[in-house]
Amino acid sequence: MNLAMETKEFYFTYAGAEAPTLKGIDMPIYANKVTALIGPSGCGKSTLLRSWNRIHDVYPGNRYEGEILLYDKEGNEENILSYSKEDELIRLRQRVGMIFQKPTPFPMSIYDNIAYGLRLAGIKNRSELDGRVEKALKGAAIWNEVKDRLKQSAMGLSGGQQQRLCIARAVALKPELLLFDEPTSALDPISTGAIEELVTELKEEVTIAIVTHNMQQASRVSDYTAFMYLGDLIEFGKTEKIFVNPKEKLTEEYITGRFG
Amino acid sequence: MFNRLFRLSSYTAALLVLVILAGIFGVLYYYARDAIHDFGFWHFITTSTWEVGEDDEGGVFGGLIPILGTLFSTGIAMLFAVPIAMGIAVFLTEIATEKLKAPVGIAIELLAAIPSIIYGMWGLFYFGPMLQRLFGGQSNSLLTAGLVLGIMVIPFMAAISRDAINTTPAVLKESAYAMGATRFEVVKDVIFPYAKRGIIGSMVLSLGRALGETMAVAFVIGGVFRFPHSLTQPTISIPVLLANNFAEAGDLELSAMFYMALILFGISFITITIAKFFFLKDQK
Ligand SMILES: Nc1ncnc2c1ncn2[C@@H]1O[C@H](COP(=O)(O)OP(=O)(O)OP(=O)(O)O)[C@@H](O)[C@H]1O
Ligand SMILES: [Mg+2]
C-alpha cells in the first residue's frame, strides 16, 4: 500500500505556549484512502490537520519539530517541515488542499470562486479555465445546481451548496491530499449525506484525511482511523478494527461514548 | 410605560439633531443672503478677488481661492494619507507579531487623539522649513498644508481601517492561503473586498475632517489671498479665511464669509452623506 504522507515524532507548539500541543505523533496516511481523526474536543485534531499543509504558518511564532513526509505518485518524499520559502509553501498548499468547518465562499461569483485558485496557479487561458471549473463542479456534485448561475454571487448558495463549492474549489487544483476539518458540523443531515458520499467518490482521485466528532461518520466514510487524546496519538488502525476491537482501553471508552 | 418613555425620549433626541442641523443651515443662509443676492452662485465660486470697497463699505468677494485651497489641500492630504494608512492597517492586522500589535496600535490611537494645533505647530516650525529645503518655494504653502493635514488624518484612518480589516473572518483568509495565495494576494483579493465598506468609510470620514480642519492648516497654509501657481506657494482655505477675517469684517464681507461657510457646509455634508451611504449598506 502506497503512502501519501507520513508523520514522524512530530511535536507542535503554539506561539507563546509553554508546552507542546502535539507530543510525538507518528502515523501514516495511505494513498487513495480516507483517514479519520477522532478524539475529544481539544485533543489536537485540528492542530495536527493544520500542520499537514502548514496553514499554521499564516500566524507567526508557532513551532514544529519532527518530520512530516509528503510522497508524490512515484514515491519520492519531501519533508514539508523543511520548507521555508513562500513559493514552497504555496506549492505545498496546492498539493494539499483544505476544507474548513464552516463553508468559506469568497465574496465573488460562483465561477470566480473556483477559478481563483487556478488563476493564482498561473492558468489564464479562458477555455482551459472554463473546462477546469466545470470539471471541478461536476467532481463536487454541484454542477447541475449551479450551471445556470455561474456568474451569480456564491453567497446566495445554501450552506450545503457552499460547502460543496469549497470542495470543488479545492478539487480544481488537483491536489494529492485533501484535509477536511469537521466539514459537516454546520450542515443539515441531507447536506451531510451529500458530502459524505462525495468524500467516498473523491478517494478514487485523491487521498483524504477528515476530522470528525461523529462516530457514525467516521465509520461510514473512513478506511483508517486515528484516535487522539490530549495531544497524543493513542491508536491508529483500520477503521473496522478500531471500532469493533480496539487495542486500547481509552479508545474503547471513547468510541462507546463513555467520555468525550 | 418605560418602553414608551424611552421611545419618546429617543425620538425627541433624534428630532433635536435634525432641528439643529436645519437651524445651522438656516442661520448660515440668513446671514449669507446679501452676498448670495449680490454675487450669485457661479459668479461667487469663480471669482478670485476678495477686496473690501472704499470706507469698508461693499466690495467684491469671490470664493474661488479658498475653495481651491480647501479642495487642493484636502486632495493632497488624501493622496498622501490613503496609501500610508492602508499600509499601517495591513501591517497591524496581517504582518505584525502579537507583541508588536498592541504597542503600535495604542501609539496610533494616541496620535489620532493629539489636538490638531500641535500638528500645526510642528508643521510651522519643523516640517514646513524641511519641505522648503527639499522642494524650494515657501515654507508655508499649499503643499505643507496638504501634507500636515495628511499626517494628521493618517492615524485616524489607519485605526478605523484596522478595525474594519479585523472583521474579516480568519477562516476566510485561511481558505485563500490554503489555495496557495500569497500574503499580498490575500490582502488584495479577500481582505480588501471584505472590509471595503469600512475602509472607504474611514477615508470619507478623514476627508470630512480634513475639509473642515482650521487650526493645523492656519499655521502652515500662509493665509494669503493669492492664487497658488505652484504647490509650494502659500494660499488660503475656507476655514482659515473665516478664522482670520471674522473680527474686522464689514457687513458685506461678513455676509460673504457666511456664504463661504455655507459652501463648506455643503461640501462636508455631501462627503458625510457618502460615508453614511457606505455604512448603511454595510449593515444589511
Ligand atoms: N491558536 C492557538 N494558540 C494556542 N493554543 C491553541 C490555539 N489553537 C488551539 N490551541 C490549543 O490547542 C489544543 C488543541 O486544539 P485543537 O483545536 O487542535 O483541538 P481539536 O481536537 O481540534 O478540538 P475540537 O474537537 O474542539 O475542534 C487545545 O488545548 C487548544 O486550546
Ligand atoms: Mg478542531
Side-chain angles (χ1 to χ4, degrees):
Chain A
M1 201 156 9
N2 290 327
L3 280 166
M5 190 176 253
E6 200 173 11
T7 304
K8 289 180 167 174
E9 267 302 290
F10 177 62
Y11 288 78
F12 182 86
T13 315
Y14 277 109
E18 280 167 20
T21 295
L22 298 177
K23 304 159 201 162
I25 306 286
D26 282 281
M27 69 174 276
I29 295 178
Y30 294 112
N32 296 93
K33 302 286 178 206
V34 176
T35 302
L37 289 178
I38 61 170
S41 192
C43 70
K45 305 178 295 294
S46 298
T47 305
L48 179 59
L49 197 78
R50 291 161 61 85
S51 303
W52 289 337
N53 68 349
R54 296 210 25 200
I55 199 78
H56 288 302
D57 287 49
V58 168
Y59 308 101
N62 297 316
R63 216 166 66 242
Y64 307 89
E65 290 155 78
E67 279 186 347
I68 297 178
L69 304 175
L70 177 64
Y71 293 82
D72 66 14
K73 294 261 178 337
E74 281 75 47
N76 305 312
E77 58 178 54
E78 271 181 59
N79 181 7
I80 67 167
L81 297 185
S82 72
Y83 295 160
S84 57
K85 294 203 268 310
E86 194 171 36
D87 342 339
E88 289 175 317
L89 290 178
I90 286 170
R91 182 76 200 102
L92 168 66
R93 289 170 192 156
Q94 285 165 346
R95 293 177 66 188
V96 182
M98 182 165 241
I99 316 295
F100 298 81
Q101 185 164 354
K102 281 213 215 102
T104 53
F106 299 134
M108 42 178 100
S109 74
I110 293 171
Y111 182 94
D112 286 334
N113 261 275
I114 313 284
Y116 181 65
L118 297 170
R119 290 195 183 111
L120 289 182
I123 299 169
K124 297 265 150 61
N125 181 297
R126 184 72 209 198
S127 64
E128 186 180 359
L129 275 179
D130 287 351
R132 295 269 299 256
V133 169
E134 179 172 342
K135 189 152 176 284
L137 289 168
K138 281 182 173 153
I142 188 182
W143 172 249
N144 286 330
E145 290 153 73
V146 301
K147 64 171 187 274
D148 300 322
R149 50 199 275 212
L150 292 177
K151 289 280 167 269
Q152 287 173 29
S153 168
M155 312 310 271
L157 297 171
S158 75
Q161 289 172 327
Q162 288 183 355
Q163 192 64 307
R164 274 179 287 147
L165 182 75
C166 291
I167 296 175
R169 196 166 70 182
V171 167
L173 291 171
K174 300 192 180 146
E176 295 155 42
L177 174 59
L178 265 185
L179 310 171
F180 290 78
D181 195 349
E182 301 186 47
T184 61
S185 64
L187 303 181
D188 63 87
I190 292 178
S191 305
T192 299
I195 303 267
E196 286 180 9
E197 201 175 310
L198 185 54
V199 166
T200 321
E201 281 167 21
L202 282 174
K203 73 176 177 181
E204 304 277 322
E205 310 259 331
V206 29
T207 307
I208 287 168
I210 180 170
V211 171
T212 177
H213 272 286
N214 179 329
M215 293 304 119
Q216 279 87 35
Q217 184 168 73
S219 66
R220 273 195 302 264
V221 304
S222 72
D223 304 294
Y224 290 87
T225 296
F227 169 63
M228 294 177 65
Y229 185 67
L230 296 179
D232 282 316
L233 179 70
I234 303 297
E235 193 169 351
F236 174 88
K238 279 212 146 70
T239 297
E240 308 93 81
K241 178 82 174 38
I242 298 279
F243 278 85
V244 177
N245 190 12
K247 274 204 295 275
E248 301 291 330
K249 190 138 188 315
L250 215 52
T251 315
E252 186 188 334
E253 285 178 13
Y254 180 72
I255 282 165
T256 53
R258 252 170 283 170
F259 72 92
Chain B
M1 171 57 198
F2 178 75
N3 231 331
R4 275 196 52 194
L5 204 70
F6 183 72
R7 270 182 52 164
L8 197 71
S9 58
S10 55
Y11 270 118
T12 317
L15 213 67
L16 196 67
V17 174
L18 284 179
V19 169
I20 291 174
L21 197 68
I24 291 175
F25 183 85
V27 167
L28 289 179
Y29 186 83
Y30 177 80
Y31 285 106
R33 71 192 190 291
D34 281 347
I36 295 172
H37 177 263
D38 282 11
F39 305 118
F41 181 69
W42 282 115
H43 187 250
F44 185 71
I45 65 167
T46 52
T47 300
S48 59
T49 29
W50 190 275
E51 267 162 22
V52 184
E54 304 281 309
D55 304 329
D56 285 356
E57 288 294 317
V60 179
F61 302 104
L64 181 65
I65 289 174
I67 290 174
L68 285 184
T70 294
L71 292 180
F72 271 101
S73 58
T74 307
I76 294 169
M78 294 308 283
L79 284 180
F80 181 68
V82 165
I84 296 177
M86 292 306 110
I88 294 172
V90 169
F91 175 79
L92 280 178
T93 47
E94 299 304 309
I95 297 167
T97 56
E98 289 300 322
K99 274 197 197 118
L100 214 59
K101 269 180 196 171
V104 179
I106 291 171
I108 295 282
E109 279 157 22
L110 284 177
L111 278 175
I114 289 182
S116 57
I117 192 166
I118 292 173
Y119 284 98
M121 290 166 72
W122 171 77
L124 177 67
F125 287 105
Y126 179 77
F127 191 60
M130 192 183 100
L131 287 176
Q132 188 180 22
R133 251 171 280 135
L134 283 175
F135 299 110
Q138 309 217 2
S139 95
N140 285 350
S141 68
L142 191 53
L143 182 71
T144 312
L147 293 182
V148 167
L149 267 182
I151 291 168
M152 194 188 90
V153 296
I154 283 171
F156 177 74
M157 200 190 289
I160 300 186
S161 293
R162 172 200 58 186
D163 295 344
I165 289 176
N166 268 336
T167 62
T168 316
V171 278
L172 198 61
K173 291 185 260 177
E174 288 173 9
S175 316
Y177 282 116
M179 309 201 51
T182 61
R183 203 172 283 277
F184 173 73
E185 286 158 347
V186 171
V187 169
K188 171 169 73 75
D189 300 328
V190 177
I191 293 175
F192 274 172
Y194 190 88
K196 187 172 66 191
R197 301 235 158 79
I199 290 173
I200 293 177
S202 84
M203 292 176 191
V204 181
L205 287 178
S206 303
L207 184 68
R209 256 193 92 179
L211 281 173
E213 178 56 40
T214 312
M215 278 332 280
V217 180
F219 273 86
V220 293
I221 199 166
V224 294
F225 220 93
R226 203 154 68 201
F227 195 87
H229 289 282
S230 85
L231 290 181
T232 52
Q233 285 178 13
T235 184
I236 200 163
S237 71
I238 301 175
V240 175
L241 168 75
L242 301 185
N244 286 357
N245 292 27
F246 237 113
E248 57 257 23
D251 286 347
L252 186 61
E253 186 178 9
L254 203 60
S255 179
M257 278 160 61
F258 273 104
Y259 198 3
M260 287 269 61
L262 194 62
I263 289 173
L264 183 62
F265 186 77
I267 297 174
S268 309
F269 190 80
I270 290 167
T271 50
I272 299 301
T273 310
I274 295 170
K276 215 59 208 155
F277 173 73
F278 278 108
F279 281 127
L280 278 183
K281 256 179 109 179
D282 204 20
Q283 283 163 2
K284 72 147 192 275

